[in-house]
Amino acid sequence: MKTMMKLFLAGVAFAGLFASAHAEDKPTIEIMSSWTSGGEAAALNVIKTEFEKRGGVWKDSSIAGFGAADAAFQNRIVAGDAPGAKQGVIGLAAADFVNQGLFNPIDDVAGAGKWADVLPKSIHNLISYDGKVYLAPTGAHGESWVFYSKEAFGKAGIAEEPKSWDEFFADFDKLKAAGIVPVAWGGQPWQQTKVFNMILLSQVGIDGFLKIYVDKDKSQASIDGVKKTLEILGKLRGYVDAGAAGRNWNDATAMLITAKAGVQFMGDWAKGEFTVAGKEPGKDYGCMIVPESKGMVYIADSLWFPKTGNAATDKAQKLLAEVVMDPAVQVEFALKKGSVPMRTDVDKSKLDVCAQKGAELMAAGAIVPDQAIVLTPQQVGALDDFVDEYWSGSSNDATSAAENFFAVFE
Amino acid sequence: MPIKRKPNLSATIALLPTWFVAVVVFIGTMGWSIRLSFTNSTLFPSSTYVGFAQYSKLFSSAKWLASLQNVLIFGVLYVAGCLLLGFLLAAALDRKIRFESAFRTIFLYPYAMSFVVTGLIWQWMLNPTLGIQASVGSLGWESFVLDWVVNRDMAIYALVLAGVWQGAGLVMVIALAGMRGIEAEQWKAARIDGIPVWRIYVSIVLPQLGPALAAAGMLLAMGVIKTYDIVVAMTNGGPGNATEVPAKFIMDNLFGRQNLGLATAGATVLVLGVIIAVAPFRYAMHMRDRAKGPA
């Protein structure tokens, strides 16, 4: 079996050799991404335009759906036919590939561009493995956001943003009384986990959050924090509509756009939907970090560079890494995607009000990583199961659920 | 005993590629999967053996146990529902009605659709804010509730409903073909004896359709094991674990959760399950053939 596999791989490599002999000398790269929605595609196009301007040849292989793109990428890697670049989150998902020696380091580009100085330290640590830089960060998303429809708030007579969870729930009651769905709930496990995390951060603070997810600390303080989080989460069940189960996040955003619902808990990519619908931040809709939260949960995207054994692609990978970290590209990309630039030294004046708030928190270091950054994909799945089971199980026993929480890390 | 025939050399050679494919592709990959299920493979195959650790992890997973239970409920109701409804439809069409071929096309049509399409359609219809409940509510009957897709206790039956809607047409076609094969003489004889029509169907037609219905049931049962797309399209396994199925569990762990070891352990259990379910049946067939003696 093993020799057969080797023969097969050799064959593929040989075929690749022939193909490259015919290709032009221009740095050509195939990019695999799952950025297919309106805002995402526009953002990817920013990178593409600059890359082509600098003499690169761009081949797009976009696949809709994060999981689908990941599965296709895994298959291509196993078949020995890796694409030149892949969009993926920064974090443990890439670690396996790097440890198996499947990715090219981009250390020289990072050194020449002084990435260590312009990126937040935590990000620079996350893109480095064994002291070498492997991933090129594209942008960060804040995930602690509550978006609200100003029209719905107006109808319900809510004058200002709530400062505490108690005020928040009082506002939900007002929305309910006005015949508006208080919370546009996205009923998929990954979305529910994001809400769990943003509440958790508001309850345990930045240090407590890191203790739980990074140190896997099982002290009483951590258990109590999880318990308080589950209590708030359980209370939210009373404010969602009957069609919430399985709902996509963009369908939930649409409920805010049409003022059928009051608020949505979501990452800042939801802004893209508002923009496409012609709504402006601060005017038609508002954005705030969840009440009582001293910081923001973030997730960061990057480009991965698999080894292809093709010199032209290696050259293209380096060019692409340079383009992605270009300050102008970072800002333009963030504007289109609704994200926050990764570089700390960019011109923030162009960003919208929400992104500026996010960039401030980022620069102040008031951020904690999303579970995809600090947990393995298996642990992420177990966490999704845990939150989903609590949410849909209609059990209000937060105490015993909190005790079970730490099984997620096993 | 069957008479021993001389092996035909050219036929054997012609079948060699098929043999090769069967052994290497089917048995080979199956062996590969089983081997992986005893390792700690995560994203990539590893050769560190961990014994039955993946299996004990599998059977301590609430999600996996729920998926086994769900596929059992779904399988039994889906096959039984398709067979019953399909037979009834065939019997109705058999009554020499007008526009028979038009009805036949309509009933068989859902079977030609992909499970993903079926799943989406039924998800919309059963979604309380979009589908039947919303339209009945807007007509004035506001207490009307049809929220199967989002209801933890009913979601699995929503899947059965959609599955039966799709699969009944196949049974109908097979049963109808079988009914057309029944001799007119039998009908005449039964009429002369004054037997009611329903009784003829139950006591005379149904027994003769046995093999045809068994074939249809077998086809449907094989579909049950690999139930995946309809679940993804309709409920994605939710709410909670209410509609999780083994095939989805395996796919999730194979790709999303990068857990090859656990996924292949699940796949192995599934294959074993099929073998255990099919073996007594095969054994019974074998014994029956032997009892019959040489043909």
Side-chain angles (χ1 to χ4, degrees):
Chain A
M1 203 71 202
K2 227 173 192 170
T3 44
M4 282 229 352
M5 196 74 179
K6 269 186 191 154
L7 264 173
F8 176 67
L9 290 182
V12 171
F14 192 63
L17 223 72
F18 261 144
S20 68
H22 287 288
E24 286 176 67
D25 214 22
K26 280 184 175 174
T28 306
I29 200 161
E30 181 192 352
I31 288 130
M32 233 177 162
S33 94
S34 61
W35 287 335
T36 51
S37 84
E40 289 171 345
L44 189 61
N45 206 34
V46 171
I47 300 176
K48 179 186 170 187
T49 312
E50 183 65 24
F51 182 72
E52 284 177 342
K53 211 192 272 171
R54 297 191 192 180
V57 178
W58 179 282
K59 279 196 218 156
D60 200 314
S61 20
S62 294
I63 294 169
F66 199 83
D70 270 3
F73 177 67
Q74 241 166 279
N75 282 338
R76 292 271 304 263
I77 286 262
V78 172
D81 175 34
K86 161 82 167 58
Q87 156 247 328
V89 292
I90 284 176
L92 288 185
D96 257 353
F97 294 102
V98 174
N99 292 336
Q100 300 264 339
L102 292 164
F103 283 4
N104 275 329
I106 45 167
D107 227 24
D108 35 353
V109 181
K114 301 205 167 53
W115 288 13
D117 302 332
V118 297
L119 288 173
K121 197 176 173 303
S122 60
I123 300 288
H124 193 261
N125 289 342
L126 286 167
I127 59 171
S128 314
Y129 298 86
D130 294 330
K132 273 189 189 161
V133 176
Y134 278 87
L135 316 176
T138 53
H141 280 290
E143 296 190 336
S144 287
W145 294 102
V146 177
F147 295 97
Y148 57 91
S149 156
K150 294 218 161 177
E151 191 189 331
F153 268 33
K155 271 188 202 160
I158 302 165
E160 56 178 30
E161 293 178 0
K163 301 277 178 304
S164 68
W165 280 101
D166 288 338
E167 279 180 47
F168 209 11
F169 280 109
D171 289 345
F172 288 162
D173 286 327
K174 283 184 203 163
L175 284 163
K176 216 178 191 176
I180 296 166
V181 178
V183 182
W185 188 258
Q188 290 165 335
W190 68 272
Q191 298 186 52
Q192 294 164 178
T193 305
K194 296 216 183 296
V195 183
F196 172 85
N197 276 341
M198 56 181 104
I199 302 174
L200 183 67
L201 179 59
S202 78
Q203 296 302 304
V204 299
I206 289 172
D207 292 338
F209 191 93
L210 294 176
K211 251 190 189 164
I212 291 175
Y213 279 119
V214 180
D215 307 335
K216 326 278 194 271
D217 162 69
K218 293 184 195 174
S219 69
Q220 195 54 41
S222 297
I223 294 174
D224 285 346
V226 173
K227 191 183 141 218
K228 278 192 276 178
T229 305
L230 289 174
E231 278 165 0
I232 292 173
L233 189 72
K235 228 170 142 186
L236 280 173
R237 286 194 206 111
Y239 297 95
V240 307
D241 64 312
R247 181 183 285 140
N248 287 319
W249 66 269
N250 46 344
D251 293 335
T253 312
M255 292 172 72
L256 260 67
I257 292 172
T258 54
K260 279 190 190 126
V263 311
Q264 180 187 15
F265 297 89
M266 194 31 66
D268 53 15
W269 48 84
K271 283 189 297 183
E273 294 293 307
F274 285 107
T275 309
V276 171
K279 304 280 178 189
E280 272 179 51
K283 202 176 115 220
D284 303 304
Y285 69 97
C287 50
M288 58 182 230
I289 297 284
V290 280
E292 298 172 27
S293 184
K294 296 272 186 300
M296 179 174 81
V297 186
Y298 80 94
I299 189 153
D301 289 308
S302 64
L303 289 180
W304 302 354
F305 301 107
K307 281 186 181 151
T308 58
N310 182 335
T313 307
D314 288 356
K315 225 165 81 187
Q317 288 178 339
K318 288 186 175 152
L319 178 63
L320 185 60
E322 265 173 46
V323 168
V324 165
M325 275 291 282
D326 183 279
V329 170
Q330 286 255 318
V331 172
E332 194 61 27
F333 179 90
L335 283 176
K336 291 268 162 49
K337 194 153 186 294
S339 58
V340 179
M342 280 295 198
R343 293 179 74 112
T344 51
D345 60 345
V346 295
D347 177 14
K348 293 185 186 75
S349 61
K350 278 192 191 168
L351 302 174
D352 63 59
V353 263
C354 305
Q356 278 179 8
K357 279 191 209 173
E360 262 169 47
L361 289 169
M362 201 118 194
I367 49 169
V368 291
D370 171 276
Q371 72 275 11
I373 295 176
V374 285
L375 302 184
T376 65
Q378 293 152 59
Q379 291 168 332
V380 171
L383 179 64
D384 282 347
D385 287 350
F386 169 80
V387 177
D388 189 34
E389 202 37 49
Y390 179 75
W391 172 266
S392 67
S394 310
S395 144
N396 279 316
D397 190 0
T399 315
S400 71
E403 302 274 342
N404 295 333
F405 172 78
F406 293 89
V408 161
F409 301 127
E410 277 158 19
Chain B
M1 287 295 283
I3 305 144
K4 254 210 159 147
R5 280 189 299 178
K6 233 174 127 188
N8 183 335
L9 186 67
S10 55
T12 310
I13 291 172
L15 279 175
L16 268 180
T18 318
W19 265 106
F20 178 78
V21 169
V23 170
V24 173
V25 177
F26 294 121
I27 311 221
T29 47
M30 210 186 279
W32 180 255
S33 300
I34 293 171
R35 195 192 80 100
L36 282 184
S37 71
F38 290 102
T39 65
N40 66 352
S41 306
T42 53
L43 174 57
F44 294 104
S46 120
S47 45
T48 313
Y49 288 92
V50 292
F52 282 91
Q54 301 284 12
Y55 289 88
S56 66
K57 204 169 151 198
L58 189 67
F59 280 96
S60 59
S61 153
K63 210 172 178 128
W64 173 254
L65 296 176
S67 76
L68 287 181
Q69 196 190 339
N70 289 336
V71 85
L72 199 69
I73 297 173
F74 174 78
V76 169
L77 293 179
Y78 166 72
V79 174
C82 284
L83 287 177
L84 183 69
L85 187 63
F87 179 76
L88 289 178
L89 286 175
L93 285 184
D94 193 38
R95 301 309 300 151
K96 300 198 174 61
I97 54 155
R98 216 185 268 232
F99 307 124
E100 186 202 309
S101 66
F103 279 115
R104 223 168 39 205
T105 312
I106 292 170
F107 293 142
L108 188 61
Y109 185 71
Y111 192 71
M113 283 203 295
S114 114
F115 257 135
V116 174
V117 179
T118 305
L120 277 179
I121 294 172
W122 280 92
Q123 199 233 317
W124 288 332
M125 291 208 294
L126 297 176
N127 185 309
T129 51
L130 302 171
I132 299 171
Q133 181 180 329
S135 30
V136 173
S138 67
L139 289 176
W141 184 5
E142 283 181 10
S143 58
F144 178 79
V145 175
L146 186 67
D147 61 348
W148 285 16
V149 164
V150 296
N151 182 330
R152 214 178 146 80
D153 301 320
M154 295 306 288
I156 190 83
Y157 303 109
L159 286 182
V160 172
L161 188 64
V164 169
W165 176 78
Q166 163 142 20
L170 174 76
V171 179
M172 178 204 73
V173 169
I174 294 174
L176 192 59
M179 284 177 191
R180 292 286 145 87
I182 290 169
E183 284 165 44
E185 299 297 320
Q186 295 185 21
W187 274 99
K188 276 186 197 154
R191 285 265 167 73
I192 290 164
D193 289 345
I195 302 170
V197 173
W198 68 267
R199 192 66 210 262
I200 301 176
Y201 273 110
V202 173
S203 303
I204 299 172
V205 176
L206 194 56
Q208 294 185 66
L209 285 184
L213 289 179
M218 197 66 186
L219 283 176
L220 294 171
M222 286 195 299
V224 169
I225 304 290
K226 49 185 188 183
T227 303
Y228 174 74
D229 26 15
I230 193 169
V231 177
V232 170
M234 250 175 108
T235 59
N236 208 11
N241 287 338
T243 53
E244 187 71 28
V245 287
K248 186 174 163 289
F249 180 95
I250 292 166
M251 287 298 280
D252 282 354
N253 278 290
L254 212 48
F255 295 109
R257 301 189 178 183
Q258 301 183 352
N259 203 341
L260 264 183
L262 193 64
T264 46
T268 307
V269 170
L270 216 53
V271 170
L272 274 179
V274 172
I275 292 172
I276 290 168
V278 172
F281 182 68
R282 291 287 309 167
Y283 185 69
M285 298 279 278
H286 178 70
M287 293 310 279
R288 202 171 66 178
D289 285 351
R290 269 184 49 172
K292 269 187 192 164

